[in-house]
Amino acid sequence: DTGVSQNPRHKITKRGQNVTFRCDPISEHNRLYWYRQTLGQGPEFLTYFQNEAQLEKSRLLSDRFSAERPKGSFSTLEIQRTEQGDSAMYLCASSLVRSLQGRNYGYTFGSGTRLTVV
Amino acid sequence: QKEVEQDPGPLSVPEGAIVSLNCTYSNSAFQYFMWYRQYSRKGPELLMYTYSSGNKEDGRFTAQVDKSSKYISLFIRDSQPSDSATYLCAMSAGVNTDKLIFGTGTRLQVFP
């Protein structure tokens, strides 16, 4: 297993277009997280899944954002009607926890998808 | 005011120096504390994980948590040029949530 994989690595899109990113977690990991990071800032939480269930969403995740993890494996993050303020690095991470209330001991992050909206 | 405050640096030190990186926080519910290292154009990599107050050592790295002061630190001994990166603190309340709150990151440069 080569870790958390994100595609594409870079995406340039015109304002108003829709974009979709894909994340493939470490195969035995049951939790998957999406974060957004802008230049000079730390990652900001967007949402996370345990298997296919979306357990928490940030208020940052407006109606234009949707995330899915249909079979509890890979996940997609879609942004509709992109705006220049959506330009950022979108990071995916995964972890393994033993129960719904279980804690993980740190995530493994992918290298991210860098989105530029022009 | 942000929940987690971290000096963005940059911090420039000579090779072999001891580096001290710090974060303060305001949410007393935080009980899980982490340090991540992030190289340019890469995702964050977990360095240290600490639960509640206390110290933890791993090789050249030591993490300290002082919950009474809401203050956490990462010390790097015998710093190397390969340690040049951005260091992010992160923390979580861990009750009914698994999200991490990150600091802004401190950029560290270790010169030979």
Side-chain angles (χ1 to χ4, degrees):
Chain A
D1 191 295
T2 57
V4 178
S5 176
Q6 291 189 247
N7 287 289
R9 290 296 310 277
H10 300 95
K11 178 72 177 178
I12 300 175
T13 190
K14 291 183 178 179
R15 190 174 51 187
Q17 298 293 305
N18 298 345
V19 294
T20 300
F21 311 139
R22 176 178 170 126
C23 172
D24 288 89
I26 293 172
S27 58
E28 63 267 28
H29 284 184
N30 53 0
R31 284 200 178 170
L32 185 147
Y33 314 81
W34 286 100
Y35 281 75
R36 180 173 67 185
Q37 186 176 24
T38 54
L39 198 62
Q41 300 297 315
E44 292 178 297
F45 171 79
L46 293 178
T47 189
Y48 82 93
F49 295 84
Q50 171 130 345
N51 300 314
E52 65 274 11
Q54 190 171 21
L55 295 187
E56 189 172 352
K57 284 173 55 171
S58 165
R59 284 169 291 178
L60 290 175
L61 217 63
S62 74
D63 291 346
R64 296 184 299 105
F65 288 72
S66 63
E68 294 183 341
R69 195 182 183 200
K71 296 184 180 179
S73 57
F74 72 93
S75 175
T76 58
L77 178 68
E78 181 183 18
I79 309 174
Q80 296 182 327
R81 304 181 303 281
T82 51
E83 302 172 356
Q84 285 187 320
D86 297 331
S87 295
M89 173 80 86
Y90 289 84
L91 291 163
C92 176
S94 68
S95 72
L96 175 66
V97 294
R98 304 294 180 186
S99 68
L100 193 61
Q101 292 81 25
R103 280 286 299 131
N104 74 73
Y105 297 91
Y107 312 156
T108 302
F109 279 90
S111 291
T113 294
R114 182 172 297 281
L115 173 66
T116 302
V117 181
V118 297
Chain B
Q1 184 185 1
K2 292 184 176 181
E3 278 190 287
V4 179
E5 299 279 357
Q6 185 175 9
D7 187 332
L11 183 60
S12 185
V13 301
E15 183 175 357
I18 296 174
V19 176
S20 172
L21 303 165
N22 312 294
C23 287
T24 59
Y25 63 95
S26 57
N27 187 345
S28 57
F30 288 149
Q31 52 183 337
Y32 299 92
F33 304 91
M34 283 149 261
W35 286 94
Y36 283 83
R37 177 175 62 196
Q38 186 173 28
Y39 292 112
S40 181
R41 304 184 188 282
K42 297 289 188 182
E45 170 196 11
L46 181 67
L47 279 178
M48 300 288 285
Y49 174 96
T50 310
Y51 170 67
S52 194
S53 286
N55 294 358
K56 186 172 183 179
E57 188 173 322
D58 184 1
R60 297 185 295 112
F61 299 92
T62 299
Q64 290 184 350
V65 175
D66 182 348
K67 290 189 69 179
S68 63
S69 300
K70 296 190 181 68
Y71 187 86
I72 70 170
S73 301
L74 177 71
F75 297 95
I76 307 174
R77 290 182 298 281
D78 187 26
S79 55
Q80 303 294 310
S82 58
D83 295 328
S84 298
T86 296
Y87 290 79
L88 296 152
C89 63
M91 44 200 82
S92 170
V95 177
N96 298 321
T97 181
D98 199 17
K99 71 180 181 186
L100 294 181
I101 308 299
F102 282 85
T104 54
T106 299
R107 192 155 60 91
L108 172 67
Q109 296 172 323
V110 181
F111 56 89

